[in-house]
Amino acid sequence: MNSALTRRTLLQLAGTSCLGSAASRAARAEGGPVAAPAAGPGFASKTPIRIGAAALKVRDIERVTNYYRDVIGLTVLARGAASVTLGTGEGALLTLEPRPDAALEPPTAAGLFHIAFLMPSRRDLARWLVHVARNQTPLTGFADHSVSEAVYLDDPEGNGIEVYADRPSELWRWEDGRVVMGTRRLDVDDILSLTDTRASDYAGAPDGLRIGHVHLRVGDVDAGDRFYRDLLGLAPTSRRDTASFLSSGGYHHHLALNTWNSAGAGRRDDGRTGLAWFSLMTGKPELMTAQADRLTAAGIATTALSGGFESLDPWGTRVRLLQG
């Protein structure tokens, strides 16, 4: 398999005839306008607050487990009647909770837009691209977001996934306190030049793989900002009428919120599939104390957990605030 064949295969897997069309699809995944090139490895896990792990409620536990193992390369770390936990040699990243009788959460409801798995390097992204091409994994889009290079796909139950690599953060461009994130054609050939496309050497997710960010569907962006920005302490990095991007420590975004399909959505139905919870981690106990105090002052309940606590956002999505 040479580079050109891999490129064509990737386009076929995305159901499109050109990368421009694939980038257009990815624009809907991140909501970015076309922007001038700006670039820059990310530091998503080195910030005061970062994404830790996430959990999904799924109907077919075996099928979804196999998908994250075989496609993303996660290792099954623990398996029980109540859940399956997957991750890397460095720790857990994803928990799957079986709900065999649950209805699928509709895309118009508040909930998960995608979980974004951050590769440690651009070469790791290249190796993964060869892996999915050779295994004919369906993809939904490709995009150069200026700060990162991204590939999109869905798991068997429709949960969105992004797999991406950051450009060096010193090359990101900021204007008036906002990071420039656009959506441009992804240079697949340049990425693939970093690895041997004739065979896959992606036997599993590399150590250093993290969940770089979580992207949520919400019913109202302003209400989402009041919860995640004002109460949980994430800082805005970009804002549009229908989307908000927030982070800690100057990362481009640890969290995104959008109303593209879910404007006006009310409280989530806990009996459906989709995102069960995600965690925000911090090594600074004073940050957790401040979060808890602000939630209490706002009249929002918290539930104690080992190493932290849990709360619900305005749509009932469970957010775990944990020390680590």
Side-chain angles (χ1 to χ4, degrees), residues 39-42 147 166-172:
V147 295
D166 277 334
R167 287 199 169 97
S169 58
E170 62 270 18
L171 298 179
W172 302 348

Side-chain angles (χ1 to χ4, degrees), residues 242-312:
T242 56
S244 179
F245 300 82
L246 307 121
S247 84
S248 173
Y251 189 56
H252 52 74
H253 68 295
H254 288 101
L255 186 73
L257 316 170
N258 80 67
T259 59
W260 300 327
N261 298 315
S262 56
R267 195 170 184 85
R268 297 175 63 200
D269 182 347
D270 194 50
R272 292 182 180 269
T273 63
L275 184 66
W277 55 262
F278 72 97
S279 62
L280 294 172
M281 309 291 295
T282 182
K284 298 179 178 293
E286 65 273 16
L287 291 181
M288 290 183 61
T289 299
Q291 290 169 332
D293 289 346
R294 289 192 295 266
L295 288 166
T296 299
I300 298 174
T302 61
T303 302
L305 298 172
S306 176
F309 61 91
E310 179 180 273
S311 189
L312 301 179

Side-chain angles (χ1 to χ4, degrees), residues 73-268:
L74 301 181
T75 298
V76 175
L77 303 177
R79 185 188 294 267
S83 65
V84 175
T85 301
L86 301 101
T88 71
E90 296 182 318
L93 293 175
L94 184 67
T95 297
L96 303 176
E97 301 176 356
R99 299 288 191 275
D101 298 323
L104 293 174
E105 186 170 69
T108 54
L112 180 69
F113 194 67
H114 60 239
I115 294 172
F117 292 95
L118 174 58
M119 286 290 174
S121 71
R122 194 172 189 244
R123 183 176 182 275
D124 288 314
L125 181 62
R127 293 170 54 242
W128 178 79
L129 275 171
V130 173
H131 168 71
V132 294
R134 296 190 66 86
N135 287 283
Q136 298 185 317
T137 302
L139 306 173
T140 60
F142 313 86
D144 183 334
H145 290 306
S146 298
V147 295
S148 63
E149 296 172 294
V151 180
Y152 295 90
L153 61 166
D154 293 329
D155 78 12
E157 297 193 0
N159 297 296
I161 300 169
E162 176 183 342
V163 178
Y164 74 113
D166 277 334
R167 287 199 169 97
S169 58
E170 62 270 18
L171 298 179
W172 302 348
R173 193 169 81 239
W174 296 78
E175 295 178 353
D176 299 322
R178 296 292 187 263
V179 67
V180 175
M181 291 189 294
T183 298
R184 300 163 47 245
R185 170 176 167 163
L186 184 67
D187 192 341
V188 171
D189 290 333
D190 193 54
I191 295 172
L192 292 175
S193 70
L194 300 174
T195 192
D196 184 353
T197 62
R198 294 171 296 180
S200 172
D201 67 350
Y202 190 87
D207 286 345
L209 182 79
R210 298 285 189 272
I211 297 179
H213 66 268
V214 171
H215 195 146
L216 300 177
R217 303 187 306 258
V218 298
D220 180 84
V221 174
D222 289 337
D225 275 350
R226 287 192 292 271
F227 182 82
Y228 289 104
R229 180 194 64 200
D230 300 343
L231 300 181
L232 298 192
L234 296 176
T237 59
S238 185
R239 176 64 196 264
R240 301 169 193 127
D241 290 342
T242 56
S244 179
F245 300 82
L246 307 121
S247 84
S248 173
Y251 189 56
H252 52 74
H253 68 295
H254 288 101
L255 186 73
L257 316 170
N258 80 67
T259 59
W260 300 327
N261 298 315
S262 56
R267 195 170 184 85
R268 297 175 63 200

Side-chain angles (χ1 to χ4, degrees), residues 53-76:
L56 299 172
K57 296 174 288 184
V58 301
R59 297 200 294 190
D60 190 334
I61 190 75
E62 290 304 319
R63 185 183 183 199
V64 179
T65 297
N66 292 344
Y67 184 89
Y68 284 96
R69 181 196 65 198
D70 298 340
V71 174
I72 307 301
L74 301 181
T75 298
V76 175

